[in-house]
Amino acid sequence: EELTHEREKAKDLLFDFNNTRPSLREKRESMIRRLFGRIGKNCWIESPFNCDYGSNIFAGDNFYANTNCCILDCAEISFGNNVWIGPNVGFYTPEHAFDSKERTAGYERALPITIGDNVWICGGVTIIGGVTIGSDSIIGAGSVVVKDIPAGVLALGNPAKVIRAMNEKDRKGLLFDKG
């Protein structure tokens, strides 16, 4: 009953947020500050945005989430400083029972997600509960992250795999050498 009340409270606030003009920056930021467990300086979230509770979301400074970000925060989700999230990205902490009888009975658990500092999560990425992504990493577009990703790497695919460590070319924005 308490969880249902908390979810409904979040959904009402999200409805107002998603229907507030982007030009009303201070009002939108105030709503996110009321929704999230903690958020640092310089935060911007594009509409539409969705989450379960909001109170389990913790973000550092310079947090950006593009359109259609979905954060199912049944467990804690922590974002470091300078995290960029592309469009259509999902963070899913809930895990339903594999056994159909347990699933039908409503059994569910949730596992936390931790994102380090200076991480870029490109568009269309899915990250499941129990995953940690290390600082200074990039998750390529369309990836499905089902296990931990170390710091300082480019990872992509389904399931996401480390492609390589970040290198000097990355400072120039060349993720792939096309020459």
Side-chain angles (χ1 to χ4, degrees):
E1 197 172 289
E2 181 182 340
L3 291 176
T4 300
H5 172 73
E6 291 300 314
R7 253 192 329 270
E8 287 174 353
K9 188 171 92 174
K11 297 300 180 196
D12 285 347
L13 188 52
L14 285 166
F15 179 87
D16 293 343
F17 174 82
N18 286 321
N19 290 287
T20 298
R21 294 179 181 276
S23 60
L24 299 175
R25 188 173 183 97
E26 288 179 15
K27 183 175 182 180
R28 289 171 60 87
E29 184 176 329
S30 173
M31 288 182 204
I32 290 299
R33 289 193 181 283
R34 286 196 330 249
L35 183 66
F36 279 22
R38 183 188 73 248
I39 191 132
K41 301 178 294 188
N42 194 26
C43 150
W44 185 256
I45 297 174
E46 303 285 355
S47 294
F49 171 70
N50 193 33
C51 66
D52 277 335
Y53 301 99
S55 58
N56 292 322
I57 303 170
F58 301 88
D61 295 338
N62 306 314
F63 177 81
Y64 176 77
N66 211 321
T67 59
N68 292 314
C69 182
C70 180
I71 301 177
L72 301 185
D73 62 317
C74 297
E76 187 174 301
I77 301 181
S78 298
F79 299 96
N81 295 317
N82 309 308
V83 172
W84 292 6
I85 300 170
N88 304 309
V89 172
F91 299 86
Y92 307 131
T93 65
E95 184 177 276
H96 299 284
F98 286 9
D99 180 79
S100 62
K101 289 178 184 162
E102 289 179 354
R103 191 171 50 249
T104 302
Y107 173 79
E108 177 182 293
R109 70 177 182 161
L111 302 169
I113 295 172
T114 303
I115 310 296
D117 294 332
N118 309 308
V119 172
W120 175 21
I121 300 168
C122 299
V125 170
T126 298
I127 299 172
I128 67 158
V131 166
T132 295
I133 297 175
S135 294
D136 301 306
S137 287
I138 296 174
I139 308 300
S143 296
V144 178
V145 183
V146 298
K147 64 180 186 175
D148 291 352
I149 302 296
V153 300
L154 168 64
L156 57 92
N158 181 3
K161 292 184 170 91
V162 173
I163 301 301
R164 64 176 169 79
M166 303 303 286
N167 62 42
E168 186 61 33
K169 287 183 182 177
D170 299 322
R171 292 181 210 264
K172 298 176 181 142
L174 302 173
L175 287 179
F176 298 101
D177 186 357
K178 296 179 179 147

